[in-house]
Amino acid sequence: MKKLILFLIVFISFETFSQSKLIHVFVALCDNDSQGIVPAPKSIGDGTKPHTNLYWGAGYGVRNFFDKKTTDWVLVADLDSKNTLILDRILFKHKTKDIYMLADAFNGRNIKECTESFLLSSNGQLAEKITHNNKEFEFGGGADLFVYIGHNGLMDFDINPKFKETNVQKDVMILGCYSKSYFKEHIKNANANPVLWTTHLMAPEAY
């Protein structure tokens, strides 16, 4: 996660002041029962309980880390989602820059749908308008940077996302085991730009 934060700093340095920069984070919650992972302790390995989950609400989960362990980001809203697969949704704003980050916690049993949503969004699809303080943002395919955090489900299942032709290239980051090997073809077909992915085993927590 140090690399993630470093990239966010670089990303922020290229901010233009004409409009907000948007980051959309897709988190597939850790789930012992449905994912091919080394089992986590039961209290943090239940993919239906985001607030105690290893990748979300635990000590170094995305929500807990960005809300309580960093000084650069501020949690500005807990939001509802019409997508019943998303169990928790939060919106952060950078303290000094006009950059917003939306993070979605997907039910761990729906890791396949989380992965597909990440990939289709990186292709400019699934745009979703969100309003906060009378300001409207377009996340999903309208965001600038997309991040996937969680188990590399492509090690367990195949997907066939329907990508569209696009000349707009979005930036992506994939924090999961061996993500480069498994995601490379999909990212190419989505016409996305991989700025960070992995070539080894890892625990996708926010440290």
Side-chain angles (χ1 to χ4, degrees), residues 21 24 28 32 35 37 43 57 63 65 70 87 105 158:
K21 289 293 186 180
H24 197 154
N32 290 333
Q35 298 174 7
I37 59 174
S43 60
R63 180 184 181 110
F65 186 84
T70 66
L87 304 184
D158 295 321

Side-chain angles (χ1 to χ4, degrees), residues 55-147:
Y55 301 153
W56 191 257
Y60 290 97
V62 168
R63 180 184 181 110
N64 192 62
F65 186 84
F66 278 94
D67 184 23
K68 298 179 180 179
K69 297 182 183 293
T70 66
T71 58
D72 295 324
W73 295 87
V74 178
L75 177 61
V76 295
D78 279 270
L79 303 173
D80 294 325
S81 172
K82 295 180 181 179
N83 186 344
T84 58
L85 306 183
I86 295 175
L87 304 184
D88 199 21
R89 164 173 279 188
I90 46 180
L91 181 67
F92 290 92
K93 185 187 183 300
H94 192 268
K95 275 192 173 181
T96 61
K97 302 293 184 179
D98 189 21
I99 299 180
Y100 288 83
M101 178 169 64
L102 181 71
D104 285 334
F106 278 74
N107 190 322
R109 299 171 186 173
N110 300 106
I111 185 173
K112 184 174 183 178
E113 290 85 353
C114 179
T115 303
E116 290 178 331
S117 294
F118 161 74
L119 288 170
L120 290 173
S121 295
S122 73
N123 181 233
Q125 302 186 52
L126 308 183
E128 181 178 4
K129 294 186 184 299
I130 290 176
T131 301
H132 174 66
N133 284 347
N134 297 318
K135 190 172 183 179
E136 188 174 80
F137 307 99
E138 189 172 275
F139 283 96
D144 303 288
L145 168 66
F146 302 90
V147 183

Side-chain angles (χ1 to χ4, degrees), residues 143-207:
D144 303 288
L145 168 66
F146 302 90
V147 183
Y148 174 84
I149 294 177
H151 170 59
N152 180 357
L154 298 185
M155 300 171 75
D156 305 326
F157 54 75
D158 295 321
I159 58 175
N160 185 30
K162 305 299 182 184
F163 295 119
K164 67 177 184 179
E165 292 188 12
T166 177
N167 294 322
V168 179
Q169 192 171 60
K170 305 284 189 173
D171 289 333
V172 299
M173 304 173 68
I174 308 169
L175 299 182
C177 297
Y178 300 109
S179 60
K180 180 178 180 179
S181 299
Y182 286 86
F183 279 84
K184 184 176 181 179
E185 196 64 25
H186 289 305
I187 295 302
K188 177 182 177 182
N189 292 337
N191 191 36
N193 175 42
V195 296
L196 178 66
W197 49 15
T198 65
T199 58
H200 54 278
L201 293 168
M202 69 169 300
E205 300 173 72
Y207 49 68

